[in-house]
Amino acid sequence: LLANFFLGFQLGEMELPGLDAAGTPLSVDATFRTPSFARVRGGRMEVPAPAPPSRLRSSFCRERERTVPLRIAAWEVSSTEAVIRIPAGWRVGKLPEDVLLQGDIGRLAVTWRLEGDAVRVRHEVEIRPQVLAPERYPELVKFCQEGDAAEEARMELVR
């Protein structure tokens, strides 16, 4: 799965804790390297959240407007926590703002925390099954736009 999002993906170690426990959500603990993850420009490096993008707008808001209710049939739930090691010679210049979008449409949270020589990024998305009236469609579009923007945020490292 990760190789679909990170070009040049090289898996280090991987564990599947709790795989034998019935009813436990799937959890994957992995370390990996990928040369194309960050963009370096001069003395700055832009680093995205290492989570597969939800692409909320393209998943739920394909039309400009709706005249009939929108049925969201599947429960969209994902949670990713990742630790990004800061390379030697670099330091955090700027972390993205934390984002929390929460309402009856769903929930999206993205947090960035500096922890010594690393940054911990937590990314959670939950969209509940529902039937959304056409007059509430702009509310969904706004949620999806803000969620996609939060997922595209990048931390900045400087030398």
Side-chain angles (χ1 to χ4, degrees):
L1 173 67
L2 292 173
N4 290 332
F5 299 101
F6 303 113
L7 297 175
F9 173 87
Q10 297 172 338
L11 182 63
E13 297 178 18
M14 185 175 80
E15 295 179 18
L16 301 169
L19 188 61
D20 298 336
T24 303
L26 175 63
S27 180
V28 178
D29 291 342
T31 59
F32 67 92
R33 291 180 168 274
T34 178
S36 62
F37 182 60
R39 289 190 296 223
V40 178
R41 294 182 182 161
R44 299 190 183 286
M45 182 186 307
E46 295 178 351
V47 184
S54 301
R55 295 183 178 102
L56 296 171
R57 181 124 194 221
S58 63
S59 296
F60 297 106
C61 305
R62 294 190 182 131
E63 294 88 20
R64 294 181 87 138
E65 59 184 46
R66 299 228 16 130
T67 56
V68 297
L70 173 65
R71 181 174 180 258
I72 300 174
W75 201 309
E76 176 85 23
V77 178
S78 70
S79 177
T80 304
E81 185 173 83
V83 176
I84 302 168
R85 301 272 175 233
I86 300 170
W90 294 87
R91 63 180 173 76
V92 173
K94 182 180 175 188
L95 289 177
E97 296 283 326
D98 289 348
V99 174
L100 174 61
L101 306 174
Q102 191 162 339
D104 58 343
I105 286 177
R107 180 178 185 279
L108 180 133
V110 182
T111 58
W112 299 75
R113 296 288 177 269
L114 180 60
E115 298 178 355
D117 67 343
V119 174
R120 182 176 302 273
V121 183
R122 183 151 181 87
H123 176 268
E124 301 172 333
V125 178
E126 179 180 0
I127 307 282
R128 297 179 261 314
Q130 58 194 288
V131 176
L132 199 67
E135 58 271 11
R136 295 202 53 218
Y137 187 69
E139 195 179 327
L140 175 66
V141 170
K142 181 178 184 226
F143 177 90
C144 292
Q145 285 174 328
E146 291 176 359
D148 287 348
E151 292 178 342
E152 292 170 7
R154 295 173 178 266
M155 83 169 154
E156 181 182 87
L157 302 181
V158 294
R159 288 199 186 266

Coordinates of all heavy atoms in Angstrom, one line a residue, residues 3-74:
A3 N 3.8 1.7 -1.0 CA 4.6 1.9 -2.3 C 3.7 2.6 -3.4 O 4.3 3.2 -4.3 CB 5.0 0.5 -2.8
N4 N 2.4 2.6 -3.2 CA 1.5 3.3 -4.1 C 1.6 4.8 -4.0 O 1.3 5.6 -4.9 CB 0.1 2.9 -3.9 CG -0.2 1.5 -4.4 OD1 0.5 1.0 -5.3 ND2 -1.1 0.8 -3.8
F5 N 2.0 5.3 -2.8 CA 2.1 6.7 -2.5 C 3.5 7.3 -2.4 O 3.6 8.5 -2.5 CB 1.3 7.0 -1.2 CG -0.1 6.5 -1.2 CD1 -0.5 5.4 -0.6 CD2 -1.0 7.3 -1.9 CE1 -1.8 5.0 -0.7 CE2 -2.4 6.9 -1.9 CZ -2.8 5.8 -1.3
F6 N 4.5 6.5 -2.2 CA 5.8 6.9 -2.0 C 6.7 6.3 -3.1 O 7.1 5.1 -3.0 CB 6.3 6.6 -0.6 CG 5.4 7.2 0.5 CD1 4.7 6.3 1.3 CD2 5.3 8.6 0.7 CE1 3.9 6.9 2.3 CE2 4.5 9.1 1.7 CZ 3.8 8.2 2.5
L7 N 7.1 7.1 -4.1 CA 8.0 6.6 -5.1 C 9.3 6.2 -4.5 O 9.9 6.8 -3.7 CB 8.2 7.6 -6.2 CG 6.9 8.1 -6.9 CD1 7.2 9.2 -7.9 CD2 6.3 6.9 -7.7
G8 N 9.9 5.1 -5.0 CA 11.2 4.6 -4.5 C 11.1 4.0 -3.2 O 12.1 3.8 -2.5
F9 N 9.9 3.6 -2.7 CA 9.7 3.1 -1.4 C 10.6 1.9 -1.1 O 10.6 0.9 -1.9 CB 8.2 2.7 -1.3 CG 7.8 2.0 0.0 CD1 7.4 2.7 1.1 CD2 7.8 0.6 0.0 CE1 7.0 2.0 2.2 CE2 7.4 -0.1 1.1 CZ 7.0 0.6 2.3
Q10 N 11.3 1.9 0.0 CA 12.1 0.7 0.5 C 11.7 0.4 1.9 O 11.9 1.2 2.8 CB 13.6 1.1 0.4 CG 14.1 1.4 -1.0 CD 15.5 1.9 -1.0 OE1 16.0 2.4 0.0 NE2 16.2 1.7 -2.1
L11 N 11.1 -0.8 2.1 CA 10.6 -1.2 3.4 C 11.8 -1.6 4.2 O 12.7 -2.4 3.8 CB 9.6 -2.4 3.2 CG 9.0 -2.9 4.5 CD1 8.1 -1.8 5.2 CD2 8.1 -4.1 4.2
G12 N 11.8 -1.2 5.5 CA 12.8 -1.6 6.5 C 12.2 -2.7 7.3 O 12.1 -3.9 6.8
E13 N 11.7 -2.4 8.4 CA 11.0 -3.4 9.3 C 9.5 -3.2 9.2 O 9.0 -2.1 9.1 CB 11.5 -3.3 10.7 CG 13.0 -3.5 10.9 CD 13.5 -3.3 12.3 OE1 12.6 -3.3 13.2 OE2 14.7 -3.2 12.5
M14 N 8.8 -4.3 9.4 CA 7.3 -4.3 9.5 C 6.8 -5.3 10.5 O 7.2 -6.4 10.5 CB 6.7 -4.5 8.1 CG 5.2 -4.3 8.1 SD 4.5 -4.5 6.4 CE 4.4 -6.2 6.3
E15 N 5.8 -4.8 11.2 CA 5.1 -5.7 12.2 C 3.6 -5.5 12.0 O 3.2 -4.4 11.7 CB 5.5 -5.4 13.6 CG 7.0 -5.7 13.9 CD 7.3 -5.4 15.4 OE1 6.4 -5.3 16.2 OE2 8.5 -5.3 15.6
L16 N 2.8 -6.5 12.4 CA 1.4 -6.4 12.4 C 0.9 -6.8 13.8 O 0.4 -7.9 14.0 CB 0.8 -7.4 11.3 CG 1.2 -7.1 9.9 CD1 0.8 -8.3 9.0 CD2 0.7 -5.8 9.4
P17 N 1.0 -5.8 14.7 CA 0.6 -6.1 16.1 C -0.9 -6.4 16.2 O -1.7 -5.7 15.6 CB 1.1 -4.9 16.9 CG 1.1 -3.8 15.9 CD 1.5 -4.5 14.6
G18 N -1.2 -7.3 17.0 CA -2.7 -7.6 17.2 C -3.3 -8.4 16.1 O -4.5 -8.5 16.1
L19 N -2.6 -8.9 15.2 CA -3.2 -9.6 14.0 C -4.0 -10.8 14.5 O -5.0 -11.2 13.8 CB -2.1 -10.0 13.0 CG -2.6 -10.6 11.7 CD1 -3.4 -9.5 11.0 CD2 -1.4 -11.0 10.8
D20 N -3.5 -11.5 15.5 CA -4.2 -12.7 16.0 C -5.5 -12.4 16.9 O -6.2 -13.3 17.2 CB -3.3 -13.5 16.8 CG -2.1 -14.0 16.0 OD1 -2.2 -14.0 14.8 OD2 -1.0 -14.3 16.6
A21 N -5.7 -11.1 17.3 CA -6.8 -10.8 18.1 C -8.0 -10.4 17.3 O -8.0 -9.4 16.6 CB -6.4 -9.6 19.0
A22 N -9.0 -11.2 17.4 CA -10.3 -11.0 16.6 C -10.9 -9.7 17.1 O -10.9 -9.3 18.2 CB -11.2 -12.2 16.9
G23 N -11.4 -9.0 16.1 CA -12.1 -7.7 16.3 C -11.2 -6.5 16.5 O -11.6 -5.4 16.8
T24 N -9.9 -6.7 16.5 CA -8.9 -5.6 16.6 C -8.7 -5.0 15.3 O -8.5 -5.6 14.3 CB -7.6 -6.2 17.2 OG1 -7.8 -6.8 18.4 CG2 -6.6 -5.1 17.4
P25 N -8.7 -3.6 15.2 CA -8.4 -2.9 13.9 C -7.0 -3.3 13.5 O -6.1 -3.5 14.2 CB -8.5 -1.5 14.3 CG -9.3 -1.4 15.6 CD -9.0 -2.7 16.3
L26 N -6.9 -3.4 12.1 CA -5.6 -3.7 11.5 C -4.6 -2.5 11.9 O -4.9 -1.4 11.7 CB -5.7 -3.8 10.0 CG -4.4 -4.0 9.3 CD1 -3.7 -5.3 9.7 CD2 -4.6 -4.0 7.8
S27 N -3.4 -2.9 12.4 CA -2.4 -1.9 12.7 C -1.1 -2.4 12.0 O -0.8 -3.6 12.0 CB -2.2 -1.9 14.2 OG -1.2 -0.9 14.5
V28 N -0.4 -1.5 11.3 CA 0.9 -1.8 10.7 C 1.9 -0.9 11.3 O 1.8 0.3 11.2 CB 0.8 -1.6 9.2 CG1 2.1 -1.9 8.5 CG2 -0.3 -2.5 8.6
D29 N 3.0 -1.5 11.8 CA 4.1 -0.7 12.3 C 5.2 -1.0 11.3 O 5.6 -2.1 11.1 CB 4.5 -1.1 13.7 CG 3.5 -0.8 14.8 OD1 2.7 0.1 14.5 OD2 3.6 -1.3 15.9
A30 N 5.7 0.1 10.7 CA 6.7 -0.1 9.6 C 7.7 1.1 9.6 O 7.4 2.2 10.0 CB 6.1 -0.2 8.3
T31 N 9.0 0.8 9.2 CA 9.9 1.8 8.9 C 10.2 1.7 7.5 O 10.3 0.6 6.9 CB 11.2 1.6 9.8 OG1 11.8 0.3 9.5 CG2 11.0 1.7 11.2
F32 N 10.4 2.8 6.8 CA 10.7 2.8 5.4 C 11.5 4.1 5.0 O 11.6 5.0 5.7 CB 9.5 2.7 4.5 CG 8.5 3.9 4.6 CD1 8.6 4.9 3.6 CD2 7.5 3.9 5.5 CE1 7.8 6.0 3.7 CE2 6.7 5.0 5.6 CZ 6.8 6.0 4.6
R33 N 12.1 4.0 3.9 CA 12.9 5.1 3.3 C 12.3 5.3 1.9 O 11.9 4.4 1.2 CB 14.4 4.8 3.1 CG 15.1 4.6 4.4 CD 16.6 4.3 4.1 NE 17.4 4.5 5.3 CZ 17.9 5.6 5.7 NH1 17.8 6.7 4.9 NH2 18.7 5.7 6.8
T34 N 12.3 6.6 1.5 CA 11.8 6.9 0.1 C 12.6 8.2 -0.3 O 12.5 9.2 0.4 CB 10.3 7.1 0.0 OG1 10.0 7.4 -1.3 CG2 9.7 8.1 1.0
P35 N 13.3 8.2 -1.4 CA 14.1 9.3 -1.8 C 13.2 10.5 -2.3 O 13.7 11.6 -2.3 CB 15.0 8.8 -2.9 CG 14.2 7.6 -3.4 CD 13.5 7.0 -2.3
S36 N 12.0 10.2 -2.7 CA 11.2 11.3 -3.3 C 10.2 11.9 -2.3 O 9.3 12.6 -2.8 CB 10.5 10.7 -4.5 OG 9.6 9.7 -4.1
F37 N 10.3 11.6 -1.1 CA 9.3 12.0 -0.1 C 9.3 13.6 0.1 O 8.2 14.2 0.1 CB 9.6 11.3 1.2 CG 8.6 11.6 2.3 CD1 7.2 11.3 2.1 CD2 9.0 12.2 3.5 CE1 6.3 11.6 3.1 CE2 8.1 12.5 4.5 CZ 6.7 12.2 4.3
A38 N 10.4 14.2 0.3 CA 10.5 15.6 0.6 C 11.1 16.3 -0.7 O 11.7 15.7 -1.5 CB 11.4 15.8 1.8
R39 N 10.7 17.6 -0.7 CA 11.3 18.5 -1.8 C 12.3 19.4 -1.2 O 12.0 20.2 -0.2 CB 10.2 19.3 -2.4 CG 9.2 18.6 -3.2 CD 8.3 19.5 -4.0 NE 7.5 20.3 -3.1 CZ 6.2 20.5 -3.3 NH1 5.6 20.0 -4.4 NH2 5.5 21.2 -2.4
V40 N 13.5 19.4 -1.7 CA 14.6 20.3 -1.2 C 14.8 21.4 -2.2 O 14.9 21.2 -3.4 CB 15.9 19.5 -1.1 CG1 17.1 20.4 -0.6 CG2 15.8 18.3 -0.1
R41 N 14.7 22.6 -1.7 CA 14.9 23.8 -2.5 C 15.9 24.7 -1.8 O 15.5 25.4 -0.8 CB 13.6 24.5 -2.7 CG 12.7 23.7 -3.6 CD 11.4 24.5 -3.8 NE 10.5 23.6 -4.6 CZ 9.2 23.8 -4.7 NH1 8.6 24.8 -4.1 NH2 8.4 23.0 -5.4
G42 N 17.1 24.8 -2.2 CA 18.1 25.6 -1.6 C 18.4 25.1 -0.1 O 18.6 23.9 0.1
G43 N 18.2 26.0 0.8 CA 18.4 25.6 2.2 C 17.2 25.2 2.9 O 17.1 25.2 4.2
R44 N 16.1 24.9 2.2 CA 14.8 24.5 2.8 C 14.4 23.1 2.3 O 14.6 22.8 1.1 CB 13.8 25.5 2.4 CG 14.1 26.9 2.9 CD 12.9 27.8 2.8 NE 13.2 29.2 3.2 CZ 13.3 29.6 4.4 NH1 13.2 28.7 5.4 NH2 13.6 30.8 4.7
M45 N 13.7 22.4 3.1 CA 13.1 21.1 2.7 C 11.7 21.1 3.2 O 11.3 21.4 4.3 CB 13.9 20.0 3.5 CG 13.4 18.6 3.1 SD 14.1 17.2 4.1 CE 15.9 17.5 3.9
E46 N 10.8 20.8 2.2 CA 9.3 20.7 2.5 C 9.0 19.2 2.6 O 9.3 18.4 1.8 CB 8.5 21.3 1.3 CG 8.7 22.8 1.2 CD 7.9 23.3 0.0 OE1 7.4 22.5 -0.8 OE2 7.9 24.6 -0.1
V47 N 8.4 18.9 3.8 CA 8.1 17.5 4.1 C 6.6 17.3 4.4 O 6.0 18.0 5.3 CB 8.9 17.0 5.4 CG1 8.6 15.6 5.7 CG2 10.3 17.3 5.2
P48 N 5.9 16.5 3.6 CA 4.4 16.3 3.8 C 4.2 15.3 4.9 O 5.1 14.6 5.4 CB 4.0 15.7 2.4 CG 5.2 14.9 2.0 CD 6.4 15.7 2.4
A49 N 2.9 15.2 5.3 CA 2.5 14.2 6.3 C 2.6 12.9 5.6 O 2.2 12.7 4.4 CB 1.1 14.4 6.7
P50 N 3.3 11.9 6.2 CA 3.5 10.6 5.6 C 2.2 9.7 5.8 O 2.3 8.6 6.4 CB 4.7 10.0 6.3 CG 4.6 10.7 7.7 CD 4.0 12.0 7.5
A51 N 1.1 10.1 5.2 CA -0.1 9.3 5.3 C -0.7 9.3 3.9 O -0.7 10.3 3.2 CB -1.1 10.0 6.2
P52 N -1.3 8.2 3.5 CA -2.0 8.2 2.2 C -3.1 9.2 2.2 O -3.8 9.3 3.1 CB -2.5 6.8 2.1 CG -1.7 5.9 3.0 CD -1.3 6.9 4.1
P53 N -3.1 10.0 1.1 CA -4.2 11.1 1.1 C -5.6 10.5 1.0 O -5.8 9.5 0.3 CB -3.8 11.9 -0.1 CG -3.0 11.0 -1.0 CD -2.3 10.0 -0.1
S54 N -6.5 11.2 1.7 CA -7.9 10.7 1.6 C -8.6 11.1 0.3 O -9.5 10.5 -0.1 CB -8.7 11.3 2.8 OG -8.1 10.9 4.0
R55 N -8.1 12.2 -0.2 CA -8.8 12.8 -1.5 C -10.3 12.9 -1.3 O -11.1 12.4 -2.0 CB -8.4 11.9 -2.7 CG -7.0 11.9 -3.0 CD -6.7 11.1 -4.3 NE -5.3 11.1 -4.6 CZ -4.4 10.1 -4.3 NH1 -4.8 9.0 -3.7 NH2 -3.1 10.3 -4.7
L56 N -10.6 13.6 -0.2 CA -12.0 13.7 0.2 C -12.9 14.3 -0.9 O -14.0 13.8 -1.3 CB -12.2 14.5 1.4 CG -11.5 13.9 2.7 CD1 -11.5 14.9 3.8 CD2 -12.3 12.6 3.0
R57 N -12.4 15.4 -1.5 CA -13.2 16.1 -2.5 C -13.5 15.2 -3.7 O -14.6 15.1 -4.2 CB -12.5 17.4 -2.9 CG -13.3 18.2 -4.0 CD -13.5 19.6 -3.5 NE -14.6 20.1 -4.4 CZ -14.6 21.3 -4.9 NH1 -13.6 22.1 -4.6 NH2 -15.6 21.7 -5.7
S58 N -12.5 14.5 -4.2 CA -12.7 13.7 -5.4 C -13.5 12.4 -5.0 O -14.2 11.8 -5.9 CB -11.4 13.3 -6.1 OG -10.6 12.5 -5.2
S59 N -13.5 12.0 -3.8 CA -14.3 10.9 -3.3 C -15.7 11.2 -3.1 O -16.6 10.4 -3.4 CB -13.7 10.3 -2.0 OG -12.4 9.8 -2.2
F60 N -16.0 12.4 -2.6 CA -17.4 12.7 -2.1 C -18.1 13.8 -2.8 O -19.3 14.0 -2.8 CB -17.4 12.9 -0.6 CG -17.0 11.8 0.2 CD1 -15.8 11.8 0.8 CD2 -17.8 10.7 0.4 CE1 -15.4 10.7 1.6 CE2 -17.4 9.6 1.1 CZ -16.2 9.6 1.7
C61 N -17.3 14.7 -3.5 CA -17.9 15.9 -4.1 C -17.5 16.1 -5.5 O -16.8 17.0 -6.0 CB -17.3 17.1 -3.3 SG -17.6 17.1 -1.5
R62 N -18.1 15.2 -6.3 CA -17.7 15.2 -7.8 C -18.6 16.2 -8.6 O -18.2 16.6 -9.6 CB -18.0 13.8 -8.3 CG -17.0 12.8 -7.7 CD -17.0 11.5 -8.5 NE -16.0 10.6 -7.8 CZ -16.3 9.4 -7.4 NH1 -17.5 8.9 -7.7 NH2 -15.4 8.7 -6.9
E63 N -19.7 16.6 -8.0 CA -20.6 17.6 -8.7 C -20.4 18.9 -8.1 O -20.1 19.1 -7.0 CB -22.0 17.1 -8.7 CG -22.4 15.8 -9.4 CD -22.2 14.6 -8.6 OE1 -22.2 14.7 -7.3 OE2 -22.0 13.5 -9.1
R64 N -20.8 20.0 -8.9 CA -20.7 21.3 -8.4 C -21.9 21.6 -7.4 O -21.7 22.3 -6.5 CB -20.8 22.3 -9.5 CG -19.6 22.3 -10.4 CD -19.8 23.3 -11.5 NE -19.3 24.5 -11.0 CZ -18.5 25.3 -11.7 NH1 -18.3 25.1 -12.9 NH2 -18.1 26.4 -11.2
E65 N -23.0 21.0 -7.7 CA -24.2 21.1 -6.8 C -25.0 19.8 -6.9 O -24.8 19.0 -7.8 CB -25.0 22.3 -7.2 CG -25.5 22.3 -8.6 CD -26.2 23.6 -8.9 OE1 -25.7 24.7 -8.6 OE2 -27.3 23.5 -9.5
R66 N -25.9 19.7 -6.0 CA -26.8 18.5 -6.0 C -28.2 18.9 -5.9 O -28.6 19.9 -5.3 CB -26.5 17.6 -4.7 CG -25.1 17.2 -4.7 CD -24.8 15.8 -4.5 NE -25.8 14.8 -4.6 CZ -25.7 13.6 -5.3 NH1 -24.6 13.4 -6.0 NH2 -26.6 12.7 -5.3
T67 N -29.0 18.2 -6.6 CA -30.5 18.4 -6.6 C -31.2 17.2 -6.0 O -32.4 17.3 -5.7 CB -31.1 18.6 -8.0 OG1 -30.7 17.5 -8.8 CG2 -30.5 19.9 -8.6
V68 N -30.5 16.1 -5.8 CA -31.0 14.9 -5.1 C -30.1 14.6 -3.9 O -28.9 15.0 -3.9 CB -31.1 13.7 -6.0 CG1 -32.1 14.0 -7.1 CG2 -29.8 13.3 -6.6
P69 N -30.6 13.9 -2.9 CA -29.7 13.6 -1.7 C -28.5 12.7 -2.2 O -28.5 12.0 -3.1 CB -30.7 12.7 -0.8 CG -32.0 13.2 -1.2 CD -32.0 13.5 -2.7
L70 N -27.4 12.9 -1.4 CA -26.2 12.2 -1.6 C -26.2 11.1 -0.6 O -26.2 11.3 0.6 CB -25.0 13.1 -1.5 CG -23.6 12.4 -1.5 CD1 -23.4 11.7 -2.9 CD2 -22.5 13.3 -1.2
R71 N -26.0 9.8 -1.0 CA -25.9 8.7 -0.1 C -24.5 8.3 0.1 O -23.8 7.9 -0.9 CB -26.7 7.5 -0.6 CG -26.7 6.3 0.3 CD -27.6 5.2 -0.2 NE -27.6 4.1 0.7 CZ -26.9 3.0 0.4 NH1 -26.3 2.8 -0.7 NH2 -26.9 2.0 1.3
I72 N -24.0 8.4 1.3 CA -22.6 7.9 1.6 C -22.8 6.6 2.3 O -23.3 6.5 3.4 CB -21.8 8.9 2.5 CG1 -21.7 10.3 1.8 CG2 -20.5 8.4 2.9 CD1 -21.1 11.4 2.6
A73 N -22.5 5.5 1.5 CA -22.8 4.2 2.0 C -21.8 3.6 2.9 O -22.1 2.9 3.9 CB -23.1 3.3 0.8
A74 N -20.5 3.8 2.7 CA -19.5 3.2 3.4 C -18.9 4.1 4.5 O -18.9 5.3 4.4 CB -18.3 2.8 2.5

